[in-house]
Amino acid sequence: DAGITQSPRHKVTETGTPVTLRCHQTENHRYMYWYRQDPGHGLRLIHYSYGVKDTDKGEVSDGYSVSRSKTEDFLLTLESATSSQTSVYFCAISESGFGGYTFGSGTRLTVV
Amino acid sequence: GQNIDQPTEMTATEGAIVQINCTYQTSGFNGLFWYQQHAGEAPTFLSYNVLDGLEEKGRFSSFLSRSKGYSYLLLKELQMKDSASYLCAVGNTGFQKLVFGTGTRLLVSP
C-alpha cells in the first residue's frame, strides 16, 4: 500500500478553536487532496494541491485553509471550528492526477 | 453542475451476482472510478473506465457508456466480505478532481 498517514486519527475540539490536521505521504506523489465525508453527502472536496505551495479550493472550502510547504505534507486547518465541521476527513494522493487516488485512514473530528 | 446518482442500498445473497448502477451528469469528464469502502475504513480503488466498454478484474467488472452518462459495477460470486459501500466517482479535467456519488451500501447475506 502507498505510504500515506493522517494525524490525528481522532480529535474532539471545542467550537471556535483552530484545528490542524496533517497528511503525510512517502510516495513523492505530486497531487494531494482533502475530502470530508458526511452521511447523505458522500465525499466532498475541500482543497487540493498540485505541487509545493500550489493549492486551490474545492467544493466546500469555506472555513478551511491548507498549506503545502513540502511535497510530503499537506495540512488542513479549520480556522475556527464549528459544529458543522464535525466529520470524517480523508486525505488522498495521486501520482499523475489522471488515475485513482490512494486514501489515508481518515481523521474523525468532533466539534463540541 | 455535476450530479452523480447511485442507489442508496442493495441486498444480495452470498454466491450471487449484483449490479450497482451509477448515472452522472458532469462537465469535463476524464474517467469513471469505483471505490469500495468498508465501514469505518478508507475507500480503496476498485476500477477505472475512461473508454466505453467493460473492464474486468477478477470477480469485479465495470462498464461505461459515456454517451449515456452511465456506468455499472458488477460483482460476481458474492462473498460476505463484499458487504461494504461502493462509491462511484467521476474525474474532472484539471488535476483530476474526483466528484463522488453518495455511495451504495451493499449487504450480503448468507
Side-chain angles (χ1 to χ4, degrees):
Chain A
D1 288 348
I4 174 172
T5 55
Q6 292 184 232
S7 59
R9 292 295 312 277
H10 302 272
K11 185 170 181 67
V12 180
T13 192
E14 292 187 350
T15 299
T17 60
V19 177
T20 295
L21 309 183
R22 182 187 185 221
C23 179
H24 178 77
Q25 59 139 332
T26 58
E27 301 299 314
N28 202 35
H29 286 350
R30 178 181 176 189
Y31 299 90
M32 299 185 77
Y33 310 83
W34 277 108
Y35 282 83
R36 61 178 287 175
Q37 186 173 38
D38 305 287
H41 289 280
L43 285 157
R44 292 180 291 173
L45 182 64
I46 305 171
H47 281 278
Y48 63 99
S49 170
Y50 46 96
V52 173
K53 292 189 167 61
D54 291 324
T55 65
D56 206 347
K57 297 178 180 180
E59 176 189 1
V60 289
S61 60
D62 286 349
Y64 302 94
S65 62
V66 290
S67 67
R68 191 168 178 202
S69 59
K70 298 184 290 185
T71 297
E72 57 266 36
D73 289 324
F74 192 32
L75 304 180
L76 176 71
T77 297
L78 288 66
E79 294 141 9
S80 177
T82 67
S83 58
S84 65
Q85 293 176 312
T86 292
S87 186
V88 180
Y89 291 86
F90 285 102
C91 176
I93 60 175
S94 174
E95 182 175 16
S96 66
F98 288 96
Y101 294 170
T102 299
F103 283 88
S105 299
T107 295
R108 182 173 295 277
L109 177 69
T110 303
V111 183
V112 297
Chain B
Q2 299 174 94
N3 191 42
I4 300 174
D5 287 317
Q6 49 182 133
T8 303
E9 189 169 296
M10 299 181 70
T11 58
T13 304
E14 198 174 14
I17 299 172
V18 71
Q19 177 175 313
I20 302 174
N21 296 324
C22 172
T23 58
Y24 64 90
Q25 295 174 311
T26 186
S27 57
F29 179 84
N30 194 29
L32 191 292
F33 298 79
W34 285 95
Y35 284 80
Q36 181 189 59
Q37 185 178 26
H38 286 99
E41 298 182 8
T44 56
F45 173 76
L46 283 179
S47 70
Y48 168 54
N49 295 69
V50 65
L51 300 176
D52 290 353
L54 189 67
E55 293 281 342
E56 296 186 82
K57 191 183 292 186
R59 294 189 299 115
F60 293 62
S61 303
S62 57
F63 171 83
L64 175 66
S65 169
R66 289 173 296 170
S67 63
K68 295 182 180 178
Y70 169 68
S71 174
Y72 66 74
L73 180 70
L74 193 71
L75 293 77
K76 304 175 186 175
E77 301 170 15
L78 280 172
Q79 302 175 10
M80 297 297 290
K81 67 178 181 179
D82 297 328
S83 291
S85 289
Y86 291 85
L87 314 180
C88 173
V90 175
N92 285 331
T93 52
F95 311 120
Q96 194 59 305
K97 294 170 287 184
L98 293 189
V99 179
F100 286 83
T102 53
T104 298
R105 185 181 175 199
L106 175 65
L107 304 174
V108 180
S109 58

